[in-house]
């Protein structure tokens, strides 16, 4: 088996198992020797900010001298982004070797009628890799939800983190914030201390508080009275919290609030014997970066990539856009099962022009529907047949002093990034 064959095998698994539950992943991990039981975790669930929070926490731990595993979902540029140790992706050879190790067990389960889903396989690969590589702490991001998410096969983590809860995957998690919060709260195990995003919707926070009370867990909310934001710009933010000064590369006020959760999480880890100095905490936060999170990928005009695709992410993106002066145009491509009008409603009024494109996915929303919907929020909306055409139209609309925003899907971010790079070189 070579690397591409290993990827093909992973992607050939069904997206979801026949029914929700942890039985399949626990069975698979048991067949593999339960590698997760030899690891310590920071478990991160939520709707928005999961990836950023996971990456920031791992970067701080790395700065403090720990071997920090980082498991994120989904990836943007390379499948191996899912499995990182101190920012180094899993080598291709290790992925092949681990797929070959897991495959016989997975096929044995299949013959017994136990169909393992793709994310369950990916989770098992991550657990094996982090255990083999002797990680000190693994920062573990859930895929969807929490209660029945494959990552929830772990025992009680060092800390659990619940990031901002919003509407997404409502067909799976429920169509109210209370229902969605209950699924996210499924990662809260007895005695697990929980850090919560500071601006959680009240109805979601109530669910988390009730779950923590039943589990005998502390719920820690960052103190909004102790934070002062000194600077916000597309290049990042400066803020103080509890008298300490911090800087971020990740842009937007929402990233400052995510960072507050990270600071409180590090405080919990210190209580569990993880040594992190204030200097290491500040340095880790400042060095943390994440693709497609209001990421500047080109200049003249400024081109920014963002993977926002749900209502909460759309609001955060719209707030971040206010940091930008001058003319703005947006290239938007989305999946049809996302709430595309919510995104268009947030960003459309700030843009001189919108260009609708189709992402390369069977779940893609057609560009004509996207464009017609967008016209209700930005009258100057057109479709583009290619990413190259979309970039040209957007650049013409804003000029060299303006900004082009590319958003709506992480699929789009991954596909259009190399096109932007080629355009820069030409």
């Amino acid at each position: 088996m070579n690397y591409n064959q290993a990827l093909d095998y992973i992607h050939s698994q069904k997206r979801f198992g026949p029914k929700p539950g942890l039985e399949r992943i626990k069975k698979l991990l048991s067949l593999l020797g339960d590698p997760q039981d030899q690891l310590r975790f920071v478990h991160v669930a939520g709707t928005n900010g999961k990836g950023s929070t996971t990456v920031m926490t791992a970067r701080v731990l790395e700065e403090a001298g720990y071997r920090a595993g980082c498991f994120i979902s989904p990836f943007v540029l390379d499948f191996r982004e899912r499995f990182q140790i101190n920012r180094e992706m899993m080598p291709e050879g290790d992925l092949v070797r681990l797929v070959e190790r897991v495959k016989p067990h997975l096929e044995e389960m299949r013959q017994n009628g136990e169909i393992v889903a793709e994310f369950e396989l990916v989770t098992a690969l991550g657990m094996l890799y982090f255990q083999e590589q002797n990680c000190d702490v693994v920062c573990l991001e859930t895929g969807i939800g929490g209660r029945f998410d494959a990552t929830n096969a772990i025992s009680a983590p060092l800390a659990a983190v619940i990031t901002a809860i919003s509407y997404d995957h409502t067909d799976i998690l429920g169509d109210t914030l209370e229902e969605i919060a209950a699924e996210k709260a499924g990662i809260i195990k007895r005695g697990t201390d929980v850090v919560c995003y500071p601006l959680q919707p009240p109805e979601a926070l109530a669910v988390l508080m009730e779950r923590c009370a039943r589990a005998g867990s502390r719920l820690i909310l960052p103190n909004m009275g102790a934070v002062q934001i000194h600077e916000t710009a597309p290049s990042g933010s400066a803020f103080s919290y509890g008298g300490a000064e911090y800087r971020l590369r990740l842009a937007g006020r929402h990233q400052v609030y995510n960072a507050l959760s990270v600071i409180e999480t590090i405080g919990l880890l210190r209580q569990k014997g993880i040594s992190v100095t204030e200097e290491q905490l500040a340095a880790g936060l400042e060095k943390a970066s994440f693709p497609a999170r209001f990421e500047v990928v080109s200049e003249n005009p400024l081109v920014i990539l963002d993977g926002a695709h749900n209502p909460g992410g759309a609001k955060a993106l719209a707030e971040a856009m206010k940091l930008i002066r001058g003319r703005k145009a947006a290239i938007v491509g989305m999946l049809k099962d996302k709430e595309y009008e919510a995104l268009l409603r947030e960003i459309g009024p700030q843009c001189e022009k919108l260009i609708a494109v189709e992402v390369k996915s069977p779940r893609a929303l057609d560009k004509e529907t996207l464009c017609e919907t967008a016209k209700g929020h930005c009258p100057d909306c057109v479709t583009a047949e290619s990413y190259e055409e979309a970039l040209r139209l957007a650049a013409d609309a804003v000029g060299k002093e303006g900004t082009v925003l590319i958003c709506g899907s992480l699929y789009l971010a991954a596909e259009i990034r190399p096109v932007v790079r080629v355009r820069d070189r030409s």
Side-chain angles (χ1 to χ4, degrees):
M1 181 181 286
N2 60 32
Y3 177 65
N4 287 330
Q5 289 169 331
L7 284 183
D8 289 343
Y9 181 75
I10 293 168
H11 296 322
S12 70
Q13 310 308 313
K14 291 183 178 295
R15 187 175 177 220
F16 298 111
K19 62 179 182 178
L22 298 176
E23 296 81 8
R24 294 180 302 274
I25 181 62
K26 287 186 174 181
K27 172 72 174 294
L28 180 57
L29 289 170
S30 176
L31 292 171
L32 296 168
D34 284 318
Q36 78 282 3
D37 290 345
Q38 300 174 53
L39 294 165
R40 298 185 295 177
F41 298 96
V42 173
H43 202 184
V44 184
T47 307
N48 296 301
K50 287 185 302 177
S52 300
T53 300
T54 303
V55 166
M56 281 192 274
T57 305
R59 191 68 181 86
V60 170
L61 291 170
E62 177 191 349
E63 193 69 21
Y66 291 97
R67 194 161 173 76
C70 187
F71 181 88
I72 59 172
S73 175
F75 66 95
V76 179
L77 303 176
D78 188 308
F79 178 82
R80 296 173 299 132
E81 290 172 28
R82 289 179 176 272
F83 326 94
Q84 299 178 47
I85 300 173
N86 291 1
R87 291 172 296 122
E88 293 290 329
M89 293 188 294
M90 179 194 295
E92 291 184 1
D94 283 337
L95 182 67
V96 173
R97 176 177 56 79
L98 291 174
V99 169
E100 289 176 335
R101 179 176 169 185
V102 175
K103 183 178 178 181
H105 300 293
L106 191 148
E107 296 302 328
E108 176 189 339
M109 290 179 65
R110 188 192 308 278
Q111 289 173 7
N112 293 328
E114 299 170 293
I115 307 302
V116 175
E118 179 177 346
F119 188 68
E120 293 169 332
L121 170 56
V122 169
T123 300
L125 293 170
M127 298 300 178
L128 279 175
Y129 181 62
F130 295 133
Q131 184 268 324
E132 283 186 357
Q133 296 298 315
N134 298 310
C135 285
D136 296 309
V137 181
V138 176
C139 299
L140 184 69
E141 179 188 356
T142 59
I144 297 176
R147 181 167 62 118
F148 292 134
D149 189 79
T151 62
N152 208 27
I154 66 172
S155 299
L158 294 173
V161 186
I162 307 293
T163 65
I165 292 175
S166 177
Y167 293 97
D168 200 4
H169 302 291
T170 53
D171 56 326
I172 299 170
L173 303 179
D175 54 12
T176 69
L177 287 181
E178 291 91 344
E179 290 174 325
I180 295 169
E183 293 296 323
K184 309 293 185 183
I187 71 167
I188 301 172
K189 298 176 172 65
R190 179 150 297 279
T192 299
D193 292 324
V194 182
V195 176
C196 182
Y197 183 77
L199 298 180
Q200 204 67 265
E203 55 269 54
L205 181 58
V207 172
L208 300 178
M209 293 174 68
E210 189 272 338
R211 176 60 190 244
C212 283
R214 284 197 288 116
S217 301
R218 287 187 295 169
L219 180 64
I220 297 166
L221 275 169
N223 180 5
M224 288 299 292
V227 62
Q228 289 184 304
I229 299 176
H230 306 303
E231 176 189 348
T232 55
S235 57
S237 303
F239 68 99
S240 59
Y241 184 60
E245 300 290 331
Y246 302 99
R247 297 195 68 87
L248 297 177
R249 290 185 190 178
L250 299 170
R253 296 177 73 90
H254 63 292
Q255 295 292 12
V256 172
Y257 304 143
N258 288 331
L260 299 186
S261 294
V262 175
I263 293 168
E264 294 293 349
T265 300
I266 294 300
L268 276 182
L269 296 183
R270 286 170 174 154
Q271 297 173 25
K272 306 288 178 69
I274 304 295
S275 177
V276 181
T277 68
E278 284 301 313
E279 292 76 16
Q280 290 164 342
L281 171 58
L285 288 176
E286 184 171 2
K287 293 176 181 177
S289 61
F290 200 8
R293 268 60 174 185
F294 211 73
E295 179 193 12
V296 176
V297 291
S298 182
E299 297 182 359
N300 302 318
L302 195 68
V303 179
I304 294 174
L305 276 180
D306 195 276
H309 56 265
N310 58 47
K315 286 183 181 295
L317 175 57
E319 283 299 313
M321 286 176 67
K322 293 175 183 177
L323 304 174
I324 302 168
R325 297 181 179 179
R327 296 176 65 81
K328 288 173 265 191
I331 299 171
V332 184
M334 299 192 71
L335 302 181
K336 58 189 174 185
D337 55 0
K338 299 300 179 182
E339 295 188 45
Y340 52 91
E341 185 160 14
L343 177 71
L344 298 169
R345 183 169 56 246
E346 292 290 343
I347 69 166
Q350 295 193 52
C351 295
E352 272 73 32
K353 191 181 192 73
L354 281 174
I355 300 99
V357 296
E358 280 182 31
V359 297
K360 297 176 178 65
S361 166
R363 296 156 56 208
L365 176 68
D366 68 273
K367 58 184 180 296
E368 289 77 19
T369 299
L370 188 58
C371 186
E372 282 305 308
T373 306
K375 285 179 179 177
H377 309 287
C378 176
D380 188 1
C381 183
V382 298
T383 62
E385 296 299 323
S386 67
Y387 295 150
E388 290 85 355
E389 181 188 6
L391 285 164
R392 178 180 57 77
L393 290 170
D396 288 347
V398 301
K400 288 191 175 182
E401 302 301 317
T403 299
V404 175
L405 174 69
I406 303 170
C407 64
S409 169
L410 289 172
Y411 288 95
L412 175 61
E415 292 164 3
I416 203 168
R417 179 191 294 267
V419 181
V420 175
R421 298 296 192 204
V422 169
R423 190 174 185 276
D424 273 355
R425 294 194 293 269
S426 62

